[in-house]
Amino acid sequence: MGVYNKLLEVQVKLKAPKSQYNSFGKYNYRNCEDILEAAKPHLNSVNAVILLSDSVELVGERYYVKATATFIDCEDPTQSVCVTASAREEYSKKGMDASQVTGTASSYARKYALNGLLDIPGQLPGLNEYTKAT
């Protein structure tokens, strides 16, 4: 089975419920850890792994964290699929130091890189359902 077939199998079988709750915005969501925890059994069954990495990029006067989610076939590690996503750092965030601001941007970017890799709709808070055109 090739890397794309393995990725397809994980995408089809993956169920990552929105088990987190934001009481301020009154919505449910999933975080990066929820997605990875849901993916692990399926990755094991197809003998594949997902690796996450970040880089910080300066675009104009703003810093962005660029996250890369890489799906790797353990049987042939030369075969992989990568998806990237970026999140902009806030100039400052009340109650957070600079490393925490970068960490929140990293978490957000990683979550959306995983959403793209695993075909999880990146639903915004407050929207009911993701609809695909047929």
Side-chain angles (χ1 to χ4, degrees), residues 6-111:
K6 289 181 177 192
L7 179 56
L8 175 63
E9 187 170 326
V10 172
Q11 288 176 342
V12 168
K13 292 181 176 179
L14 182 69
K15 302 287 184 236
K18 295 179 180 181
S19 59
Q20 309 295 322
Y21 183 71
N22 181 308
S23 58
F24 179 76
K26 297 185 174 47
Y27 60 88
N28 292 317
Y29 66 99
R30 68 182 68 83
N31 61 25
C32 183
E33 292 81 9
D34 295 332
I35 296 167
L36 290 171
E37 210 45 49
K40 284 178 184 179
H42 306 298
L43 292 167
N44 188 49
S45 73
V46 298
N47 201 15
V49 296
I50 293 176
L51 298 180
L52 298 171
S53 62
D54 293 334
S55 62
V56 177
E57 300 179 352
L58 181 62
V59 179
E61 296 180 8
R62 299 298 301 265
Y63 286 98
Y64 288 77
V65 176
K66 180 179 176 181
T68 302
T70 305
F71 182 95
I72 302 169
D73 184 344
C74 293
E75 294 168 5
D76 182 0
T78 65
Q79 299 296 306
S80 63
V81 179
C82 296
V83 173
T84 63
S86 296
R88 186 178 73 201
E89 288 187 339
E90 294 279 344
Y91 282 119
S92 65
K93 187 90 170 162
K94 187 177 179 178
M96 289 187 176
D97 66 23
S99 63
Q100 290 171 314
V101 171
T102 301
T104 59
S106 170
S107 294
Y108 193 84
R110 285 176 173 218
K111 173 181 154 179

